[in-house]
């Protein structure tokens, strides 16, 4: 059996760095070294200075490249560092097409920073291929996707966008944070650069900030590596080690969390005090079929809408199990309020336009028992005023 035949679940544990060649250690050695002695004045070794390369970080970079099926992986100090550095592939005068409900931090770098360097952008509804096609310009160099998107879990047809990009000579970037390669492998669908906030499901324990980029081919890999080294927002060795440790349990964590998310989505969908549930696992979700075609499962993040800010307030005050926090993809369930958290960087008017209303909450389902979470929500919902049935 070659490595190639192993299932994803097995590959999470049996990779290049499974056993340290020097010592036999079964946990990747943590190389806290900023520089490396050169044994030969004429010929330097593989490592010289840790910004350019560190063996612990490299173990993670190799692991994610293999899991995503890409040519090269690169690790950064945060998801935003991975995303921002990837945008440095662009030059003045270039144009980016971006999904309209993009992550708030990505919205900020595109609108506040890239514009100052003469890089233009257009936000589009990526679920509408005709709209995307009509907004492509001669200087469009990147189409930026996030699917399912944050926080409304909208689904983009990855292959459809890749075909449009190829026909127009532009690259595709995809933020795969919500699903991870366990559930969605964009490179297999033709995407050029896959981005991650490894802070979320990949590391999985709310204890580290990290970002990853995986590129499809060597040429692009070399270009992005040069930018990683030039910009310098690399991941520290200790943090790389934490992500590697988290990765080992990705399969079991995501499987359990997804199972619970499916139960909770069904519960919320039936609840009289919930106006809408956004989860690609629900058969009536507009992106359900596309999602089923391109991903292995709906994931463990869902959003739902209650009446208004007052209802949000009461719910957050009374729910006991989920932490109320920014972030997602952890062992503990995390309830967040996009309008004031992930999308606070977006002006209120832009938020409303995108459906990120004042009654919207996002839940990242952790490893608590689903029935406990449901009972917790049930008790908190009881504190909300009864819904008035319109006559
Ligand atoms: C959190 C997040 C990011 C940013 O990652 P950081 O590690 O916080 O810098 C980017 N995209 C998505 C979808 C995220 O959830």
């Amino acid at each position: 059996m070659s490595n190639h035949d192993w299932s994803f679940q097995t590959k999470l544990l049996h990779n290049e760095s499974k056993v340290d060649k020097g010592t036999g250690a079964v946990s990747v050695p943590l190389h806290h070294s900023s520089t490396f002695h050169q044994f030969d004045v004429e010929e330097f070794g593989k490592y010289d200075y840790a910004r350019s390369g560190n063996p612990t970080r490299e173990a993670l970079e190799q692991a994610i490249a293999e899991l995503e099926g890409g040519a090269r992986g690169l690790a950064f100090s945060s998801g935003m560092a991975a995303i921002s550095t990837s945008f440095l592939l662009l030059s003045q005068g270039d144009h980016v097409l971006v999904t309209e409900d993009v992550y708030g931090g990505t919205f900020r770098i595109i609108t506040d920073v890239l514009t100052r360097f003469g890089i233009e952008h257009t936000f589009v509804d990526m679920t509408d291929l005709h709209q995307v096609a009509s907004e492509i310009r001669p200087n469009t160099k990147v189409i930026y996707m996030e699917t399912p998107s944050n926080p409304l879990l909208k689904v983009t047809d990855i292959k459809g966008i890749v075909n449009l990009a190829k026909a127009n000579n532009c690259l595709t970037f995809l933020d795969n944070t919500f699903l991870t390669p366990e559930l969605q492998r964009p490179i297999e669908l033709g995407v050029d650069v896959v981005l991650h906030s490894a802070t979320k499901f990949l590391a999985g324990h709310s204890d580290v900030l990290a970002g990853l980029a995986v590129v499809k081919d060597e040429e692009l890999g070399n270009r992005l590596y040069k930018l990683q080294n030039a910009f310098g927002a690399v991941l520290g060795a200790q943090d790389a080690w934490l992500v590697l440790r988290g990765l080992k349990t990705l399969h079991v964590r995501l499987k359990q969390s997804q199972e619970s998310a499916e139960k909770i989505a069904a519960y919320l969908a039936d609840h009289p005090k919930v106006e809408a549930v956004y989860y690609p696992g629900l058969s009536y979700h507009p992106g359900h079929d596309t999602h089923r075609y391109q991903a292995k499962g709906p994931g463990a993040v869902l959003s739902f809408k209650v009446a208004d800010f007052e209802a949000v307030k009461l719910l957050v005050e009374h729910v006991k199990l989920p932490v109320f926090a920014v972030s997602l993809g952890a062992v503990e369930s995390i309830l967040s309020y996009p309008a004031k958290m992930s999308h606070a960087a977006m002006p209120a008017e832009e938020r409303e336009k995108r459906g990120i209303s004042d009654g919207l909450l996002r839940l990242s389902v952790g490893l608590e028992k689903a029935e406990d979470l449901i009972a917790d929500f049930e008790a908190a919902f009881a504190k909300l005023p009864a819904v008035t049935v319109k006559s």
Side-chain angles (χ1 to χ4, degrees):
M1 206 178 179
S2 76
N3 290 16
H4 201 73
D5 302 320
W6 290 338
S7 67
F8 187 87
Q9 181 180 352
T10 302
K11 279 188 192 165
L12 284 171
L13 299 148
H14 299 272
N15 53 30
E16 277 293 306
S17 50
K18 164 183 167 186
V19 173
D20 177 51
K21 307 278 186 301
T23 61
V26 296
S27 168
V28 177
L30 187 39
H31 291 281
H32 267 302
S33 193
S34 60
T35 190
F36 298 84
H37 176 69
Q38 304 306 319
F39 293 91
D40 187 317
V41 73
E42 286 189 272
E43 214 170 310
F44 285 5
K46 181 175 177 191
Y47 306 103
D48 53 22
Y49 187 62
R51 176 161 30 73
S52 318
N54 171 289
T56 312
R57 188 174 89 225
E58 190 183 30
L60 172 60
E61 295 180 330
Q62 282 172 348
I64 193 65
E66 189 178 333
L67 295 174
E68 286 282 7
R72 183 157 195 170
L74 297 159
F76 297 86
S77 53
S78 69
M80 279 321 302
I83 292 166
S84 305
T85 306
S86 299
F87 276 130
L88 298 180
L89 287 164
L90 295 167
S91 302
Q92 184 176 23
D94 289 347
H95 172 254
V96 204
L97 269 183
V98 192
T99 181
E100 65 183 355
D101 47 356
V102 73
Y103 176 73
T106 310
F107 177 87
R108 180 162 43 205
I109 183 103
I110 290 170
T111 57
D112 282 5
V113 183
L114 296 186
T115 43
R116 288 196 288 106
F117 292 87
I119 295 163
E120 304 167 345
H121 61 266
T122 308
F123 288 105
V124 284
D125 175 0
M126 284 263 163
T127 64
D128 180 354
L129 288 178
H130 294 288
Q131 194 188 336
V132 177
S134 71
E135 295 289 353
I136 295 178
R137 304 183 195 166
N139 62 339
T140 304
K141 291 289 162 65
V142 166
I143 305 184
Y144 191 99
M145 290 173 261
E146 211 179 293
T147 180
S149 70
N150 182 17
L152 293 173
L153 289 299
K154 285 196 197 166
V155 175
T156 292
D157 173 355
I158 302 174
K159 262 198 168 155
I161 297 289
V162 164
N163 290 340
L164 276 175
K166 289 214 163 107
N168 290 279
N169 246 327
C170 42
L171 294 174
T172 41
F173 289 8
L174 191 148
D175 183 333
N176 204 24
T177 299
F178 271 38
L179 293 184
T180 83
E182 166 87 36
L183 298 175
Q184 179 168 274
R185 288 200 278 284
I187 286 179
E188 290 173 3
L189 299 167
V191 168
D192 297 293
V193 181
V194 173
L195 297 158
H196 281 286
S197 169
T199 311
K200 317 294 167 54
F201 289 103
L202 294 177
H205 293 70
S206 301
D207 53 11
V208 64
L209 206 60
L212 296 168
V214 182
V215 294
K216 198 168 143 201
D217 63 56
E218 282 294 343
E219 190 269 329
L220 197 58
N222 289 335
R223 279 168 66 200
L224 195 57
Y225 167 70
K226 282 190 184 139
L227 291 166
Q228 179 198 37
N229 188 38
F231 195 69
V234 294
L235 188 63
Q238 177 85 40
D239 290 348
W241 188 90
L242 280 169
V243 179
L244 278 163
R245 184 163 75 165
L247 261 183
K248 294 183 187 187
T249 55
L250 177 66
H251 174 80
V252 281
R253 285 187 286 110
L254 210 44
K255 184 168 183 273
Q256 178 63 55
S257 288
Q258 177 173 266
E259 248 175 61
S260 300
E262 287 177 310
K263 289 183 190 165
I264 294 167
Y267 158 77
L268 291 171
D270 274 347
H271 202 288
K273 290 175 185 170
V274 175
E275 293 181 359
V277 181
Y278 305 91
Y279 184 58
L282 294 168
S283 60
Y284 51 83
H285 182 284
H288 181 74
D289 291 343
T290 307
H291 190 82
R292 274 187 64 154
Y293 169 74
Q294 65 193 19
K296 289 213 179 69
V301 181
L302 57 94
S303 292
F304 60 100
K305 192 171 174 290
V306 291
D308 48 25
F309 178 66
E310 274 314 301
V312 163
K313 214 167 151 252
L314 284 167
L315 204 60
V316 169
E317 275 168 16
H318 289 98
V319 90
K320 290 199 180 80
L321 286 175
V323 293
F324 179 58
V326 170
S327 201
L328 59 103
V331 286
E332 61 278 335
S333 291
I334 301 177
L335 186 63
S336 65
Y337 187 44
K340 284 202 171 24
M341 292 177 169
S342 59
H343 289 68
M346 203 176 265
E349 188 192 331
E350 293 291 324
R351 256 195 291 111
E352 290 294 333
K353 226 184 339 185
R354 289 162 168 79
I356 306 165
S357 66
D358 287 346
L360 191 75
L361 281 162
R362 190 186 72 198
L363 179 69
S364 166
V365 180
L367 301 181
E368 303 89 349
K369 198 169 170 63
E371 288 69 19
D372 289 343
L373 286 165
I374 289 172
D376 189 29
F377 272 106
E378 188 64 18
F381 273 121
K383 309 282 184 187
L384 269 59
V387 275
T388 42
V389 183
K390 293 186 194 94
S391 55

